Every structure is written in structure tokens, then in C-alpha cells.
Amino acid sequence: MRNYLRLYIISALFFLAATLIFGLLASWAFLYPETYNKFLPFYQLRPFHVSAALFWIISGATAGVLFYKNGELVPGKANPITEKLFIYTWLATIVVIFACYALKKFGGREYWEFPPVLSMPLLVSWLFLIASYFIPIVKSTRDKPMYIWMWGTGIFFFMITFIEQNLWQIPWFRYSYLREVTVQWKANGSLVGSWNQMIYGTSLYLMVKISGNENIARGKTVFMFYMLGLTNLMFNWGHHIYNVPTASWIRDTSYVISMTEWIFLLKMIHDFRSTLEDIKRLKHLITYRFIIASEVWVFFNLLLTLAMSIPAINRYTHGTHITVAHSMGATIGINTMILLGSFSYMLGIDKMSESFRKNIITNYWICQASLVVFWGCLIVAGFLKGYRSVTLNIKTFQEVMMPVMPVLKAFSWAAIPMAISLIIISGMYIYRAGTMKAEIE
Amino acid sequence: MFRLWIILFSVFVVYTCFVYTCCDQKNAPSTPPDSRVNAGWTLWQEKNCQSCHQVYGLGGYLGPDLTNTAGDPYKGEKYIYSFIKNGTGKMPNFNLNDSEVNNLVAFLVWVDRSGKNIVPKEKVTWTGNYNLDN
Ligand code: HEM
């Protein structure tokens, strides 16, 4: 493994550990803000947590793309200089961003709460990534399997949505509040879609490699599902802003497009039997275990997403912790699982000693079990808030939240074993990445 | 394959232009923000009020949604002023000066005029969608 990629993989794992530690602190700061306000207020912990989560996912996804793509190229076409420029600029900017948070210097919008000038170096670093990916891929003459398309789509659309989410800095976008909010959440919605393209591409790649069946990444069906995913990336962001009084075609488009997600759900049910066979054949591989965990979480998160995409239901769930269940359910259950599967593959975890692997598997199960409770608590908390504020029409915030708080306390307790298990896994992967040099050079 | 991709992407570009220019038509006779509103908006982001508060249900969950606090007959501008100026136990005191607090109030008043956060039951149609026109 190249040294700069190894540094990148280790950094991504540190971001995961940081996400978990800041998440734990944030969840207790939520319960006891009076105490935390004195030394580490929630308004500082939340951006630390959410930005670390985003950087874990995006760095983890791009590390995989950079690592795997070289195997797909005509040899000698990779360009380590632009790859290095991307990684170093990206990581250096992230360090500055965390320093700003530590100094309480904010200024950006949701999820990107750092001073907006720092968007510039992030964008520049992304252009280096675009160069390192597209130039050799376009030059490569081989027939391209679907994951090459998906990685490229993710990288390209990340750039578009990142620029879009910075458009608020142009005054015209702020002339109307509704326009500003719409553009902001259009960008945020598609941003998730773009990293999902990279991550699902990786999942497809891993399935090809561990099952040895090249056909699953080629042909009409996989292309059709890719196009469906892309359509959702482009047009299915409106559920974030159903309640915002924009023109009605925004709601109509999003509602109609989101219902196409039933097709994904039906496909999963249809493929259930062959999935079971794969499980029997491949479950000894840790990489595969993470992939299968992500599939289970895709199923449950799809059910939740489909419900939330119906405005009549969204009326109850919007602005409640059900939204947090949706975002953390997907970023942990789906994205983090696939990324850990991908890291297992890159780091050759399945070649490690039996005791090393057993340790990972034990922590894997602790993580899954606590994630079920964690996710369930968020749904119950959201349901209670929606019921009390919309159905019972209770006006004061304190009163609405009264029965919600004990559920969030259970959530914070469930987060502890989950965080510990994932921190152990990331620690073991960091150890492995730091010591593996000779093996995969 | 690539041709289909280009067609879809073109639709996306056209839709995006449409969203930018027409998304707030009909429902929002919006007045552009004046300099106080803009200063308040910047401060809203610099102090990261959005990590605890929502506007239109978007943002953090620790404090109440502030979309229509300014227009609430029981709350209003003075009420907002005193919360921001003094904080509470749960909400920190940011030690802002009077003009900063007033700018934040002006921002929240402007946001309130853009529409209502809660969709009334009558606006839900048989398709499960909202009808927010008029
Ligand atoms: C120890 C485990 C974790 C705990 C206790 C935790 C806790 C929290 C809390 C308290 C919030 C803020 C919600 C609010 O404003 O009230 C949050 C938001 C969020 N977390 Fe976590 N988290 C954990 C792990 C993770 C991980 C591993 C990821 C992703 C890799 C993640 C991704 C997110 C995202 C994307 C949000 C923003 C949600 C939104 O605005 O809808 N979290 N988390």
C-alpha cells in the first residue's frame, strides 16, 4: 500500500473515532445543557460530531475509490501527484476546520458550520481528486463495469452539490428566505445521494471481488438501478422541505420520485433467497459480514424513508428525532458498515489471525445490537414529539419534550456500547494499517 | 448508456435553473432582507444558533423551532430580545450587545413573514400531499 493512502485510511478511521466520542458527549450535553454550557456547550459539540461524521464518510469513500481504481486501470496510468495533492489539502483543511470549532469560530450552514472561506481549499482539493480519477479512467480503454460509473458519478456530483450548498454566499440567493432554504436543502439532499453513489459503488465492487462473479456489475438491470439511484439523487430532496411554502411542483416532483424507492425495496425482497445463499457461502469473510449488515439496515431505513416521504406522515415526523433516526440510521447502519467492509478488504483483515478476527466479530455484534436500541429510541422519541406537538397540539416546547427526555436518555446509554465497539474496531484497523506495509506493497 | 446519462443530466440542469428562479413564486411576496436582517442572519450562523434551534423544522433539536416566534401573539419581538440578551440555563448567554441582539430579532421577524412552519390538517389532500397554494 502506498504511504499517502495509508495515512489517508488512518485519518479516516480517526475521524470515525472522533465522531463517536463527540457524539457521546453531544448526547449527554443534550440531556444536561446547563452543565455542559459551562465548559463544552452543545453548539460546539454538534458541529464537531456532524462534521467529523461527514469527513469520515467522504474520506472513507474516496480512500476506497483511490485504492480500488488502480486495479481497474491500464497499468501505469495512475497519477500519484494529484492523489497526494488531494489528500494533503483535504486533510490539512479538516485540521483547520476542527481548530475553528475549538475556538468557537463558526459561520457556515448546517453540517458545514465552519467559516465559509474554508470551503475554498476543500473545493480545490476536490478538483485534484477529479483529476486523479477521471483523467486515467477516461484514458483507460477497458470496458467499464458499473462501479466505475458510480464512483465517477459520486465524485462529480459531490462537486456540484458542494458548490450549490455555498451559493448562499451570493446575495441574490438570500433575497428570499424560501429560495435560500430550498437551495440549501436541495444541495444537502443531493450531497447524501452523491456519497451514496461512491459507497454503493464500493459495495458492488466488493461483491464482485469476493464472489468472483463479474456479471453482477454489468448488464441492463444494474444500469437501470444505477439510473434510478441517480434520478433520486437529482430530484428526491424535497422531503426535507415539504412544510416550507414553496411552489407546489417542488413537493409533487419529490413525492412522485421518492415513491420509485419502492422498486429498491421490492428488489431486495425478490433477491432475498439468493442473498441467503450468499450468506451461507461467504459469511466467514468479515468484509462480507459488514456488507450484509448494511443490506439489513438498507431495508429498515428504506421503510422509514418511504414513510417520511409521504407529506401526510412527514407532517408528524418533520423536525423530530425521527429525522435523526433517518440520518444516523443511514450514516451508521449503511454507510459506516459498507466502509468498514471496504476497509477490511483493503487492509486484508480476513487474512489476520483467528483471535484478531474473533475480536472484530464480537465487537461487530455488540455494535449491531446496540444500534438497534439506539435507532429504536430515536424513532420513539420522534414519534412522541410528533404526537404531542401535532396531534395533541401542546404549545410549550418544555411540555412537549417532557416524556421525550427519558427516551433520549436510553438512547445515550445505548450509544455507549456502540461507541466502544466501533472505537475498538477502528483502533484495530488503525493498528493493522500502521503495521502492514510489507504485505501489500 | 452515455446518451441516456446526458439526457437525464440535462433535465437536472433545467430543473435546477427552474428551482433557483421560481421555487418561491406565488406563496412568498418576499421583500429582500435589509442590512440589519443580513447582519442578524450572519450572526445567526456565526453563533451557531442553528445547532440548537430549527427554522421550518430544519436544524438542531435542543431548543424550540423559531420560524414563527416573532409572529406569535404571546411572544413577539420583546420576548425574543430578552431570551437572546440574557440566555437561560439551557440556552447560553452569548453576551451580545444591543445592536447585535436587535439584528437577530430583525432576522427572525423577516423569517416569520416568509410563511408558516406548521402545515394545518386541512391542507393535506387525498393523495397524501399538501396543497399550500393560496
Ligand atoms: C456514539 C454514538 C453516537 C451518538 C451518541 C450520536 C449522537 C448524536 C446527537 C446527539 C446528534 C444531534 C441530534 C440533535 O441535534 O439533537 C447527532 C447528529 C448526527 N449524527 Fe450522531 N451520534 C453517534 C454516532 C454517529 C455516527 C457513527 C455517525 C456517522 C458516521 C453519526 C452521524 C450523525 C449525523 C449525520 C447527524 C446529523 C443529524 C441531523 O441533523 O439530522 N452519528 N448524533
Side-chain angles (χ1 to χ4, degrees), chain A residues 23 30 46 49 56 111 321 327-328 331-332 336 415 418-419, chain B residues 61:
Chain A
F30 191 101
R46 194 182 204 274
H49 171 62
W56 148 240
Y111 306 148
H321 279 86
S327 51
M328 281 209 269
T331 50
I332 305 174
T336 299
M418 188 183 88
Chain B
Y61 302 77

Side-chain angles (χ1 to χ4, degrees), chain A residues 37 42-43 107-109 164 172 174 176-177 179 186 223 226 243 245-247 252 255 311-312 315 318-320 397, chain B residues 1 5 16 20 23-24 27 32-33 41 45 48 50-51 54-56 61-62 89-90 117 119 127-130:
Chain A
N37 275 344
F42 183 80
Y43 70 86
R109 298 288 318 251
E164 191 169 49
W172 180 79
R174 295 210 146 185
S176 137
Y177 191 74
R179 180 193 302 138
K186 173 180 185 298
F223 180 69
Y226 160 77
N243 64 328
T246 55
D252 301 342
Y255 187 18
R315 210 172 140 252
H318 183 73
T320 75
F397 181 72
Chain B
M1 258 156 73
W5 198 97
T16 299
Y20 289 177
C23 67
D24 60 347
N27 296 308
W41 201 345
Q45 287 176 202
N48 210 7
Q50 64 200 359
S51 65
Q54 304 175 340
V55 175
Y56 283 111
Y61 302 77
L62 181 48
K90 290 182 181 165
N117 170 41
V119 177
T127 55
N129 203 345
Y130 302 152

Side-chain angles (χ1 to χ4, degrees), chain A residues 374-395:
Chain A
F374 180 95
W375 193 70
C377 287
L378 287 174
I379 292 183
V380 175
F383 174 82
L384 282 173
K385 184 178 174 195
Y387 175 72
R388 291 172 69 77
S389 56
V390 180
T391 310
L392 300 184
N393 203 9
I394 298 173
K395 287 280 179 243

Side-chain angles (χ1 to χ4, degrees), chain A residues 168-212:
Chain A
W168 62 266
Q169 296 181 59
I170 301 172
W172 180 79
F173 283 91
R174 295 210 146 185
Y175 285 177
S176 137
Y177 191 74
L178 299 187
R179 180 193 302 138
E180 210 265 3
V181 177
T182 305
V183 173
Q184 197 59 32
W185 288 90
K186 173 180 185 298
N188 281 344
S190 303
L191 172 77
V192 174
S194 72
W195 79 50
N196 277 336
Q197 284 283 341
M198 284 189 264
I199 291 177
Y200 289 138
T202 294
S203 170
L204 182 63
Y205 173 86
L206 293 173
M207 280 311 290
V208 167
K209 295 297 161 187
I210 61 184
S211 70

